[in-house]
Structures are given as structure tokens and as C-alpha cells.
Amino acid sequence: MDEGSEGVFSQNTLFRAICLLLAIVFGHAEVVNRDQYSASGKKPATDVFSHLIEDTRNLRYPQNNPYREPIQDRIPPWIPHPCEVDPEGAGWRSKSRPTTVHKLRPGDIDVIAAIGDSLSVGNSAREIYPFSLLIQDRGVSMTGGGAGTWREITTLPNLIKIFNPNVIGFAKGGGDFLSYNAQLNVAIAGAIDDDIHDQVRLLLKKMKRDKRIDFNNDWKLLTILIGHNDLCSCHCFDREKHSSRQHFLHLQKALDYLYKHVPRLYVNLLSILDPTISARIPSSLTCEVIRRVFCSCLYISPNIEVTKVNISSQVREYQAVEEELTLSGRYEGREDFAVTFQPFPAILNGPTKLGEPENPQLVRYLKERPPIWTKECFHLNQRGLATASILLWNNMLEPVGAKSRTLDDILLDEYKCPTSRAPYFCTKKNSETFYREGHQ
């Protein structure tokens, strides 16, 4: 059996069983010929990954579902993307493939991928009922979804499509992480830090088996976002196993593996999003019930105000070690590999002391705009994912050390674009060059 293959199917078995059952009940998935797996989720045959990839044809999501509709404001076809008309705009794609990640233009990205949890899956993003929270809408995921275009479904892959229409790897629609629609969005709903290494190994298997991908020469963009379930459901029961230190070590193990095995790779390591936001916004009784199931650590104490500040404090610790890892110099020995911390999710950070008020800018933002949350208040809806995609895009074009991470310096719904002085995605190295010489 491939090393690590057992872990993919032993983790979160109950969660995925519930997901599958509800998907069948609600008519969102059709499952055929799955009895080759044991009740534990483990496959006894050798080369389990190979069999699973072949088995993706057994999962089907309908192409047309009346309850799955985009909710962001649509951009008319006659209005160009701001970066297409920017007078300072740089070339979309290099004349020849760059040999260094520090000179990587948006149009140089050939392959795009995502790993993480339900936020990368796009759970419930376009559903109209709160109990549809387990429906996986990967095509609208901000990090790995490519359904439609940026005009009606803004995602990072759809923004990359503007610069390179031939980019591949983005999810094409709904489905499990093994479905055809998932493509290289191998995020798993309910995943915790323990699972990230298995996701990385599965991603490599899928990349190497995809005949469209020139594994050694294509430039790849991978976005990692994970850790929310550790804080929401695990940390309060085992503080050591789900500590910020362990978060650091799990990320390091995954990045070390990528560094060793994947050529020409730019990695976005996203700051985790403070999960207490689901309890800090006005919500319904249904949201309250669902939150008790999926974020039980909020209710470990009779006083939810205490648990909110405790979890928000842990969020800060997770975010600190994420940034520490990217700045450690551990991944700077190769010219074709870079890991960059993108901190924009910190705009949703909550108070870390009892009695400390919410950020008034955040309160005003959430009141003044249409809802960015799903009906169960636990995930970003498609509108929220679209906004987050723009913020991620902007972070990628901002120098390391000057990235937007608060509502004071973030431009909501406004795009930053490559320029003649800064045409490349920012890395630590080309950011230092930019500060020193005024250009990348």
C-alpha cells in the first residue's frame, strides 16, 4: 500500500459518511459500486490511490440544480477586467517560461490546485437551505474553483484565466474530492491538520497521472488553507495535539514534501480565518444548533464569551506560526519554489480579551453589505468567496512585509494589477529587490 494512503480514508470517516448519506437523500450525488471499501473506509488492495482515482467516475453531481445559483453581482461582458485596461499593466505571460519563481507573472501559471477543509471545498456556497451545509460546491471555491468566469463567479482560478485561458486543474463543479469535477481541488470537508500530508500526496498522484500536465516544466500554483476544524472541534479536548506548535509542524511536513518532490511551484499559505465569526454575527436558531455540532469548542464553557476570546487568541497564535514558517528561509534553497503567507483573512479576527469591542469597521462592513455567509452561518457564501478571491489576488501582488491584513489597508472589491515595476507574484526575494531597487 502507498505510504500515507491509509490515512486519507481513516480520518473523519463518520463525517464523510454523513456527507454521503445526506447527498444521497437530497439527490445531490449518485454512488455506484462502492462495496469494494470496508466499513472503516480502508481499501485492502495495493495501490489504493490508483484505484480511487479510477473510481471517480462513480460519483456524479447533477449539472443543473435550481438551488445552486451565483449570488455575486455579475459583470457585463462589455466591461473589461481592470487589469486588462490598466495603463501600467505588464505583460500577461512571459515570452518564454521563466526559470525562477521570483519572475512569475500571473499568465505563467499553467496548473492550479487547492488543499484544505470545507472553506476550500465551497460547502453550501450557493444553497438556499441551512441544512444543505454538507453540499460541496467546489466550482465556486475561492482557492480552487473554476466554474464559469470571473464575471459571474469570481475565484482565484477564474482570475488566472484572464491572463492564461489555458490554465488547468481548477474544480469544474460540485462533487467529492475524488470526483471528476474536483480536478486538483483535493480539499476535504472536515479536514484537520493531521490530514494535510495525505492531501498533498493525493495531489501529487493526481498531477502525475494527468496527461495534460508537464510535471517538470509547467508552473503550478497551490493554495493551502487549513486549521479551522482543529480550533473549532479539537483544540479544547486536546490542547497539545492541536496547538499552534503542532499546526506549524504539520504545515512544515507538507511543505517539506512539496519542496522535495514538486518542481516549479508557487505556494500560497493562507492565514486561517477566525471561526468565532460565526458566533459574532447575528444568526438564527438554526445557525445556533448547527454551530453546536460543527464548532463544539465554542460551548466547552457555559460562558460563550470566554470561549470566543480563547479561540480568537489561539487563532492569533496559528496565524503567527504560519507567517513564521514562510519567513524561516527553509524553502529558499530552490529558485523554482516559493511559499508566501497571504494574511487577508485576519480582517475577520475577533477580540482576544473579555469586554473588548468588535472592530467597528468590521461591524459596519457586515451591516452595510449583502450577507457573505451561508444560511447556516458557518461558511462563506458565493458572494463572500468572491470577495475573498479578490483579497487573495491582491495579497499575491503585494510585497512581503506590506501585505494588506486589516480593514484599514484593504481595498474591498478593488483589484490590484501587475505593473511594469512589479509584474510578478510577490515572493520574499523579489520583495526585497523591490524595496531595495524600486522594482522586482
Side-chain angles (χ1 to χ4, degrees):
M1 181 179 294
D2 287 347
E3 179 187 353
S5 62
E6 180 175 334
V8 172
F9 294 95
S10 62
Q11 45 111 358
N12 297 318
T13 303
L14 177 60
F15 181 87
R16 285 202 293 278
I18 294 171
C19 291
L20 193 57
L21 177 61
L22 288 181
I24 295 169
V25 170
F26 288 113
H28 287 288
E30 175 185 322
V31 184
V32 184
N33 195 25
R34 304 290 289 182
D35 57 355
Q36 63 265 42
Y37 299 105
S38 67
S40 67
K42 301 176 184 177
K43 185 178 184 303
T46 58
D47 199 6
V48 66
F49 276 127
S50 300
H51 189 91
L52 287 169
I53 292 170
E54 293 170 3
D55 196 40
T56 58
R57 295 180 181 179
N58 295 330
L59 291 172
R60 293 290 186 270
Y61 274 59
Q63 294 301 309
N64 298 307
N65 184 327
Y67 302 113
R68 301 166 75 84
E69 292 295 335
I71 58 176
Q72 74 176 80
D73 296 334
R74 293 174 182 261
I75 308 298
W78 58 84
I79 297 179
H81 188 275
C83 294
E84 295 182 84
V85 295
D86 188 341
E88 290 293 321
W92 288 5
R93 186 175 172 94
S94 301
K95 293 180 180 179
S96 61
R97 274 181 173 160
T99 57
T100 172
V101 71
H102 310 296
K103 294 188 181 296
L104 190 65
R105 300 173 188 265
D108 294 326
I109 299 299
D110 301 300
V111 180
I112 197 161
I115 62 179
D117 55 28
S118 56
L119 284 174
S120 299
V121 169
N123 273 44
S124 191
R126 293 182 289 174
E127 303 300 322
I128 64 173
Y129 297 119
F131 288 103
S132 298
L133 82 162
L134 299 180
I135 302 304
Q136 302 183 22
D137 203 356
R138 291 176 188 268
V140 304
S141 161
M142 67 171 169
T143 59
T149 72
W150 72 275
R151 297 179 181 279
E152 68 276 359
I153 300 176
T154 304
T155 66
L156 178 60
N158 281 345
L159 293 174
I160 295 293
K161 284 182 194 177
I162 298 170
F163 298 85
N164 178 13
N166 297 317
V167 67
I168 62 172
F170 51 81
K172 298 186 175 184
D176 186 82
F177 70 106
L178 290 174
S179 67
Y180 169 80
N181 278 343
Q183 297 288 298
L184 298 181
N185 179 349
V186 298
I188 300 175
I192 59 176
D193 284 341
D194 285 353
D195 305 324
I196 187 173
H197 191 243
D198 287 327
Q199 289 190 36
V200 165
R201 294 179 69 85
L202 175 60
L203 174 62
L204 261 67
K205 286 283 186 179
K206 295 186 80 171
M207 277 188 182
K208 289 182 176 181
R209 289 178 181 276
D210 193 325
K211 295 180 179 179
R212 300 171 299 170
I213 297 174
D214 183 342
F215 187 74
N216 291 320
N217 295 306
D218 284 349
W219 279 100
K220 309 158 197 75
L221 172 62
L222 169 64
T223 303
I224 301 173
L225 175 60
I226 200 165
H228 309 94
N229 294 305
D230 293 82
L231 290 179
C232 247
S233 304
C234 304
H235 177 265
C236 57
F237 300 105
D238 192 334
R239 295 181 184 277
E240 177 57 32
K241 183 177 180 181
H242 302 279
S243 65
S244 58
R245 175 61 180 167
Q246 290 302 313
H247 183 60
F248 178 98
L249 292 175
H250 283 299
L251 289 171
Q252 179 177 279
K253 181 180 179 181
L255 291 171
D256 284 356
Y257 189 84
L258 292 166
Y259 187 70
K260 181 179 180 180
H261 294 285
V262 185
R264 298 196 171 185
L265 179 65
Y266 183 103
V267 181
N268 283 322
L269 180 58
L270 266 62
S271 158
I272 67 165
L273 185 152
D274 188 339
T276 68
I277 188 67
S278 67
R280 291 160 34 219
I281 57 174
S283 58
S284 65
L285 177 60
T286 302
C287 290
E288 173 78 11
V289 171
I290 292 174
R291 195 161 51 238
R292 287 178 177 272
V293 175
F294 289 93
C295 199
S296 55
C297 285
L298 273 170
Y299 301 93
I300 197 70
S301 164
N303 187 346
I304 193 173
E305 297 303 318
V306 172
T307 54
K308 282 195 294 188
V309 299
N310 287 342
I311 292 176
S312 289
S313 297
Q314 287 296 317
V315 167
R316 301 298 209 288
E317 292 186 18
Y318 271 45
Q319 291 169 339
V321 299
E322 289 164 348
E323 187 164 21
E324 175 189 343
L325 180 58
T326 64
L327 298 177
S328 66
R330 188 178 183 91
Y331 307 108
E332 295 177 16
R334 282 174 44 191
E335 276 294 307
D336 68 338
F337 189 97
V339 184
T340 306
F341 180 63
Q342 312 297 2
F344 77 90
I347 64 174
L348 297 179
N349 281 357
T352 57
K353 296 179 180 178
L354 281 174
E356 182 182 348
E358 281 283 355
N359 182 337
Q361 287 178 289
L362 178 59
V363 173
R364 185 168 58 252
Y365 165 72
L366 294 176
K367 284 183 177 179
E368 291 176 352
R369 296 171 61 88
I372 61 172
W373 311 106
T374 50
K375 295 297 183 180
E376 90 286 347
C377 310
F378 204 71
H379 298 92
L380 291 170
N381 64 16
Q382 194 271 322
R383 181 185 293 275
L385 291 171
T387 298
S389 301
I390 298 172
L391 299 181
L392 171 55
W393 169 265
N394 288 347
N395 262 184
M396 293 172 68
L397 293 170
E398 294 170 331
V400 174
K403 291 184 180 292
S404 301
R405 64 177 73 206
T406 70
L407 285 170
D408 289 326
D409 52 21
I410 273 180
L411 298 174
L412 294 165
D413 301 328
E414 294 186 29
Y415 288 93
K416 295 189 175 181
C417 299
T419 67
S420 55
R421 293 192 308 120
Y424 312 123
F425 283 139
C426 290
T427 65
K428 181 182 177 184
K429 183 175 180 178
N430 67 28
S431 296
E432 291 170 350
T433 302
F434 182 80
Y435 292 133
R436 185 175 60 250
E437 301 178 10
H439 61 82
Q440 290 177 321

